[in-house]
């Protein structure tokens, strides 16, 4: 950092209500920036047009204000599609169209319980003639991971919790970078956005640690800087399961509507003190 002010961001998706885990990430990112006179950015990741809702954007803003957090700039991914298209164009010679549906992929693969099976590269082996004849069909764009890794060479990144990490993007297989219903995947959009906004430190839950292998590769391929990463422990419930929207995690909005003081909650999170029934998962 060389003493330069830090730039952090909180980047929620408006597909549901924020919960305690989101609050922890937001507070940590906010405080890291403020501690050195830096900037804290709020970025709404709203390019999932089928699930994003304006009412969730409004709730996110209210939740952060309730926590006593102030941001220096607000941006929306849906306004940055030209940046993603330009990045995809730069990677064009490493991409191939994939016509497989999710159901077809799931039916052809198996994986241990809880694991995501790797795409076997079915469409990577199609002839140019076959690809050209099918381009009118719905398709996504996948990264030829083996070729991409060969081009980038060995890569590492620095994590405040894990130390120096050797990137292993091959373990993710041929990831999708764009599809018909999403102009950029999470991997591509977050990598491009962090660089475009000058983010120096990425604060997020350890559940996104594995995704950083892909992000580090994309940074190398696109000639983008690599932030310092802070993958913090997750908040889990009494059952040991991590908080998630789909598992009914208590929403900040519900706590706010119940009359709880958000600033008191934020101060408690700063001390790793959680409401009854919740704890930080061990590393």
């Amino acid at each position: 950092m060389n003493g330069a002010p830090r730039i952090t961001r909180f980047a929620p998706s408006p597909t549901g209500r924020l919960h305690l885990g989101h609050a922890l990430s937001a507070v940590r990112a906010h405080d890291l920036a403020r501690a050195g006179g830096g900037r804290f950015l709020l970025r709404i990741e709203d390019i999932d047009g089928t699930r994003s809702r304006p009412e969730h954007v409004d709730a996110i803003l209210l939740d952060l204000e309730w926590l006593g957090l102030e941001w220096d700039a607000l941006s929306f991914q849906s306004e940055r599609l030209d940046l993603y298209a330009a990045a995809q164009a730069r990677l064009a010679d490493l991409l191939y169209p994939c016509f497989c549906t999710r159901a077809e992929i799931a039916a052809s693969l198996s994986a241990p319980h809880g694991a995501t099976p790797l795409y076997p590269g079915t469409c990577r082996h199609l002839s140019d003639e076959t690809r050209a004849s099918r381009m009118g069909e719905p398709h996504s764009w996948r990264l030829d991971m083996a070729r991409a890794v060969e081009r980038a060479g060995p890569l590492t990144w620095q994590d405040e919790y894990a130390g120096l990490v050797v990137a292993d993007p091959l373990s993710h297989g041929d990831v999708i970078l764009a599809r018909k219903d999403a102009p950029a995947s999470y991997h591509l959009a977050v990598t491009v956005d962090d660089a475009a906004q000058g983010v120096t430190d990425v604060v997020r839950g350890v559940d996104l640690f594995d995704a950083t292998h892909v992000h580090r590769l994309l940074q190398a391929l696109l000639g983008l800087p690599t932030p310092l990463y802070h993958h913090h422990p997750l908040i889990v419930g009494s059952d040991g399961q991590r908080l998630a929207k789909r598992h009914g995690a208590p929403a900040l909005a519900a706590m706010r509507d119940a009359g709880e003081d958000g600033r008191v909650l934020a101060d408690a999170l700063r001390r790793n003190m959680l409401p009854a029934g919740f704890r930080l998962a061990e590393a």
Side-chain angles (χ1 to χ4, degrees):
M1 287 297 299
N2 297 323
R6 298 176 188 265
I7 300 176
T8 67
R9 47 73 165 179
F10 177 58
S13 299
T15 57
R17 299 301 178 93
L18 300 186
H19 54 61
L20 278 174
H22 296 117
L24 178 64
S25 286
V27 167
R28 290 195 176 193
H30 171 273
D31 290 0
L32 181 63
R34 292 291 182 254
R39 303 179 71 231
F40 173 61
L41 311 179
L42 175 57
R43 185 170 72 225
I44 305 298
E45 299 192 338
D46 62 341
I47 54 176
D48 186 342
T50 61
R51 299 173 60 221
S52 296
R53 296 288 184 272
E55 60 268 25
H56 293 318
V57 176
D58 295 338
I60 288 169
L61 302 183
L62 287 174
D63 287 341
L64 295 181
E65 291 173 349
W66 175 68
L67 290 168
L69 307 183
E70 298 180 354
W71 51 91
D72 296 289
L74 170 63
S75 63
F76 293 82
Q77 283 189 332
S78 57
E79 299 173 349
R80 307 165 68 84
L81 302 186
D82 56 333
L83 293 180
Y84 311 140
Q88 182 180 338
R90 291 182 60 189
L91 299 172
D93 65 323
L94 294 173
L95 303 179
Y96 63 88
C98 175
F99 306 95
C100 301
T101 66
R102 291 185 178 92
E104 290 171 342
I105 295 172
S108 66
L109 298 174
S110 62
H113 180 69
T116 301
L118 294 184
Y119 179 69
T122 304
C123 290
R124 182 177 359 107
H125 305 296
L126 296 178
S127 67
D128 291 342
E129 182 180 358
T130 300
R131 288 176 181 171
S133 67
R134 299 186 61 181
M135 289 306 292
E137 303 175 23
H139 60 277
S140 59
W141 289 96
R142 289 186 180 272
L143 180 67
D144 187 328
M145 189 61 78
R147 292 180 56 223
V149 168
E150 181 179 11
R151 177 176 299 180
L155 299 169
T156 62
W157 83 81
Q158 189 70 33
D159 189 282
E160 281 292 274
Y161 293 83
L164 185 66
V165 181
V166 176
D168 181 24
L170 273 175
S171 63
H172 288 257
D174 292 357
V175 296
I176 289 176
L177 293 191
R179 56 166 55 94
K180 182 179 180 180
D181 59 351
S185 70
Y186 168 72
H187 294 308
L188 182 61
V190 73
T191 301
V192 170
D193 283 340
D194 284 342
Q197 295 186 297
V199 172
T200 62
D201 294 71
V202 171
V203 179
R204 59 190 183 190
V206 72
D207 55 322
L208 291 171
F209 181 91
D210 284 347
T212 315
H213 292 281
V214 177
H215 302 170
R216 181 66 188 91
L217 173 65
L218 292 176
Q219 290 160 1
L221 294 174
L222 293 168
L224 304 178
T226 301
L228 175 63
Y229 288 91
H230 307 248
H231 289 101
H232 61 73
L234 302 180
I235 297 176
V236 297
S238 57
D239 58 359
Q241 296 297 309
R242 73 183 182 91
L243 303 185
K245 298 173 186 176
R246 63 181 181 277
H247 294 155
L252 298 183
M255 301 171 71
R256 173 161 46 83
D257 292 343
E260 297 190 36
D261 190 323
R263 292 175 183 267
V264 171
L265 173 62
D267 286 339
L269 292 175
R270 291 182 174 102
R271 301 191 299 273
N272 292 333
M273 296 175 59
L274 303 172
F278 300 97
R279 61 180 174 82
L280 281 179
E282 297 180 2

